[in-house]
Amino acid sequence: MVMASCRTSDDSAGGQGSDSFCAGTSCVITVTYDQSGKGNHLTQALRGHWPGPAEGGNDNLANAFEAPVTVAGHKAYGVYAAPGTGYRNNHTNGVATGDQPEGMYAIFDGTHFNGGCCFDYGNAETTGNDDGNGTMEALYFGNSKGWGYGSGNGPWVMADLENGLFSGVNRGFNANDPSVNNRFLTAMLKGGPNQWAIRGGDAQAGSPSTFFNGIRPTAGGYNPMKKQDAIILGTGGDNSNASAGTFYEGVMTQGYPSDATENAVQANITAAGYDSGSTGTGTLTPGSRISLRATTAPCCTSHYLRHDSADNKVVISDTSSSSSAADKADATWIVRAGLADTSCLSFESANSPGRFLHHSNYQLYLDADTGGSSFAKDATFCPTKGNSGAGTSFRSVNFPTNYLRHYNYTAYIASNGGANAWDSSTSWAADTSWLVAQPWG
Ligand code: AHR
């Protein structure tokens, strides 16, 4: 029986209706609706043991436009959780408590993660505190090695059972839990009396594999479990909120689903047809010449991304029909298929052939392609719907939480909140949104 089923779609968090409603402004996802009929909607996580960055120590809400996809050809938006983002429901209806059996799956973006605690979806404490071993049972996705980890460098699907992310029967290394980074990743977790399992697979094809199936951890407190029946999304049980990840849909069940049932669910997911395809790429066709106009008002809406002959830095500056031919050419780019990923893009200077826009230490420069894989990744950006709802944003392929941004008239890749000055959340959505314009040169 489905007790909580959340999906962001045209009807709830986003879609074509949201596109027009939010055009020219910024929108956040306030509610992720439970479609099971149980009313277990997820809303802003309030301050727990650990405070979030929003007013009152609450968590941030997700930008409504940062995770565009199509499902069966319909536009939809996922919940893009930057660090500090969290949703929760501490008063649910019909979710497992104590040692009762339950199952859950979620579809995540396997390329968006970090090692912070804890990008979770599932059953957690109703108190917002760490109430001890066994007081939560949630899917975790990321590359934290603080408690447990699997083979390779991650990310891994693990179980957050409180005071531990488990990749197998006990904390630490469990070789059978593989690194998984499918663009769309199905992650599954189920737990009942002295029994639990982790499964996962590519949400676009194939069946799920079993990564762990066995008894409860032998450390004290996990058998029997003491589940409390809150539902969390994007944080740990005690509102630890240093993690990052993207959630597209999730379901929690009362009762322990069989592998056959989960396989049937996966078949349904793959048939639904998740696709990151052509969302928001506009006129960005490899081979075409473009200019990129900043959208931040009032400072910068006549500014364009450009290099200049003084150095190899990339900046924005005012450009108009009366600009010199040299200035216009400096603000013109040739779109190329991504050097590291041909489904994304790279940008070659129109007046300095062979030199590409790339980042180094988070700042953007124009330099010759070295032919190496590092340069290729640093020069590859994946277009997405503009983070502000306008235009297009360009996500760094190797730093997927970072987008091409202007800050203080200089270009960087920046995350929405972070250690560097240019990661400032203020104007981040507008500063990372660009209009693809007719080429100046
Ligand atoms: O179990 C890992 C984390 O530890 C939980 O999510 C959190 O509640 C605690 O800090």
Side-chain angles (χ1 to χ4, degrees), residues 15-80:
Q16 268 106 6
S18 308
D19 286 354
S20 51
F21 183 76
C22 295
T25 182
S26 57
C27 277
V28 293
I29 298 170
T30 50
V31 183
T32 299
Y33 286 97
D34 173 13
Q35 299 177 348
S36 73
K38 295 285 178 184
N40 292 326
H41 312 310
L42 302 181
T43 55
Q44 183 177 27
L46 304 181
R47 183 191 177 108
H49 173 75
W50 297 106
E55 193 176 344
N58 302 330
D59 291 350
N60 285 338
L61 295 167
N63 182 309
F65 292 106
E66 280 188 57
V69 291
T70 60
V71 185
H74 297 286
K75 185 86 170 279
Y77 290 99
V79 178
Y80 181 98

Side-chain angles (χ1 to χ4, degrees), residues 50 117-118 120 125 129-130 136 147 160-165 232 235-240:
W50 297 106
C117 177
C118 290
D120 288 350
E125 297 92 333
N129 295 315
D130 175 347
M136 58 184 295
W147 290 277
D160 191 341
L161 304 178
E162 189 51 272
N163 297 316
L165 302 176
I232 54 173
T235 70
D238 57 5
N239 200 46
S240 302

Side-chain angles (χ1 to χ4, degrees), residues 291-315:
S291 290
L292 289 174
R293 179 156 77 87
T295 62
T296 313
C299 68
C300 305
T301 53
S302 59
H303 283 55
Y304 287 73
L305 190 74
R306 61 169 293 181
H307 70 100
D308 61 44
S309 53
D311 53 34
N312 63 346
K313 291 181 181 168
V314 176
V315 298

Side-chain angles (χ1 to χ4, degrees), residues 134-378:
T135 53
M136 58 184 295
E137 180 168 67
L139 276 164
Y140 164 84
F141 180 67
N143 66 344
S144 166
K145 292 180 84 169
W147 290 277
Y149 57 101
S151 58
N153 294 322
W156 303 281
V157 178
M158 296 193 272
D160 191 341
L161 304 178
E162 189 51 272
N163 297 316
L165 302 176
F166 290 81
S167 55
V169 64
N170 282 314
R171 295 187 187 92
F173 176 57
N174 290 286
N176 289 337
D177 197 24
S179 295
V180 279
N181 60 0
N182 307 93
R183 172 64 181 81
F184 296 104
L185 172 71
T186 306
M188 295 171 163
L189 172 66
K190 51 189 169 182
N194 203 19
Q195 180 187 14
W196 68 284
I198 308 170
R199 305 185 77 211
D202 180 351
Q204 293 179 296
S207 300
S209 302
T210 299
F211 301 155
F212 172 75
N213 183 4
I215 60 169
R216 290 293 187 186
T218 53
Y222 297 105
N223 184 27
M225 293 286 283
K226 306 169 193 69
K227 291 174 250 189
Q228 292 191 8
D229 84 1
I231 299 174
I232 54 173
L233 172 59
T235 70
D238 57 5
N239 200 46
S240 302
N241 52 71
S243 54
T246 296
F247 167 97
Y248 296 106
E249 67 173 78
V251 168
M252 296 173 65
T253 65
Q254 196 173 54
Y256 195 90
S258 66
D259 285 4
T261 298
E262 290 176 332
N263 295 348
V265 168
Q266 166 72 359
N268 178 273
I269 292 167
T270 58
Y274 269 85
D275 187 16
S276 53
S278 58
T279 45
T281 53
T283 58
L284 292 165
T285 309
S288 66
R289 296 164 80 90
I290 59 159
S291 290
L292 289 174
R293 179 156 77 87
T295 62
T296 313
C299 68
C300 305
T301 53
S302 59
H303 283 55
Y304 287 73
L305 190 74
R306 61 169 293 181
H307 70 100
D308 61 44
S309 53
D311 53 34
N312 63 346
K313 291 181 181 168
V314 176
V315 298
I316 58 167
S317 76
D318 208 354
T319 309
S320 68
S321 54
S322 54
S323 297
S324 70
D327 284 342
K328 287 177 178 171
D330 285 349
T332 303
W333 304 91
I334 302 172
V335 178
R336 301 292 183 203
L339 296 178
D341 178 345
T342 54
S343 66
C344 297
L345 302 171
S346 292
F347 299 95
E348 186 177 358
S349 164
N351 62 348
S352 191
R355 294 172 75 203
F356 284 79
L357 187 67
H358 74 111
H359 63 83
S360 175
N361 209 13
Y362 302 97
Q363 189 165 344
L364 284 171
Y365 298 93
L366 186 73
D367 283 299
D369 179 8
T370 62
S373 65
S374 297
F375 186 93
K377 284 185 224 158
D378 293 347

